[in-house]
Amino acid sequence: MEEKWMKIAIEEAKKAREINEVPIGAIIVLDGKIIARAHNLRETEQNAVAHAELLAIEKACRELGTWRLENAELYVTLEPCPMCSGAILLSRIKKVTFGASDPKAGCAGTLMNLLQDDRFNHQCEVIDGVLKDECGQLLSDFFRGIREKKKAKKMENH
């Protein structure tokens, strides 16, 4: 089941890629039904907090008419950062499943694990590495493309 949902999150990530956003996608599932889907919009909105997870949480809260997402599950293509992990905890999401690990900002087990820290009044079940190669490849290809464009531009100017 996790792979089925992650494939939909990957489709969201591809929407981000199409508009030159970092390709990260997220969906929120409740009772076997998608209640929210989103992708990164930081560049589009010039908004530091327009991460896929936060946008999906906001949509899910609006959809349900509550900030409590207690039985919901979040599927995201990249391990949540500290900001997103905080929002996940505060919204009481039950389970987080992610694809690629994030060694620079991952707060679901890589850099640290905010989602399962028992000092908070809520913890999440965490499943990592679901379709990690596909999720990671999307990001690698995106950033490689950016580097190649920068290199080509540099060569033009010389």
Side-chain angles (χ1 to χ4, degrees):
M1 202 62 184
E2 272 103 16
E3 286 192 4
K4 171 193 163 188
W5 296 124
M6 188 61 73
K7 284 180 180 169
I8 298 168
I10 289 169
E11 290 310 309
E12 281 298 313
K14 288 177 181 175
K15 290 179 191 175
R17 181 187 63 194
E18 287 165 19
I19 57 172
N20 279 331
E21 290 280 355
V22 176
I24 299 168
I27 65 166
I28 296 179
V29 175
L30 181 65
D31 300 326
K33 186 178 130 222
I34 297 170
I35 59 167
R37 56 178 78 210
H39 52 274
N40 250 19
L41 290 174
R42 250 185 352 176
E43 296 299 330
T44 303
E45 296 186 2
Q46 286 301 300
N47 182 347
V49 300
H51 285 202
E53 300 97 317
L54 291 185
L55 297 170
I57 288 169
E58 188 178 349
K59 287 177 183 178
C61 290
R62 255 197 323 265
E63 174 71 21
L64 297 178
T66 179
W67 61 267
R68 290 178 182 89
L69 304 177
E70 285 160 340
N71 292 309
E73 299 176 8
L74 172 75
Y75 293 82
V76 61
T77 56
L78 182 66
E79 182 178 3
C81 73
M83 173 180 68
C84 292
S85 294
I88 289 163
L89 289 173
L90 293 171
S91 63
R92 309 288 194 269
I93 287 174
K94 177 175 83 173
K95 178 176 150 190
V96 173
T97 302
F98 68 88
S101 295
D102 185 351
K104 292 182 179 173
C107 286
T110 300
L111 191 62
M112 63 180 64
N113 193 344
L114 292 177
L115 296 181
Q116 295 182 312
D117 190 319
D118 62 10
R119 293 173 293 177
F120 291 117
N121 67 347
H122 178 77
Q123 292 83 41
C124 301
E125 178 185 346
V126 174
I127 296 174
D128 66 349
V130 175
L131 299 178
K132 70 177 180 186
D133 293 340
E134 196 173 337
C135 293
Q137 195 64 53
L138 266 174
L139 290 159
S140 297
D141 292 348
F142 178 79
F143 288 114
R144 186 179 312 108
I146 288 176
R147 286 190 301 274
E148 287 169 2
K149 282 178 192 163
K150 281 183 181 174
K151 193 175 178 182
K153 196 169 192 160
K154 214 180 220 181
M155 297 299 274
E156 268 177 32
N157 295 334
H158 278 80

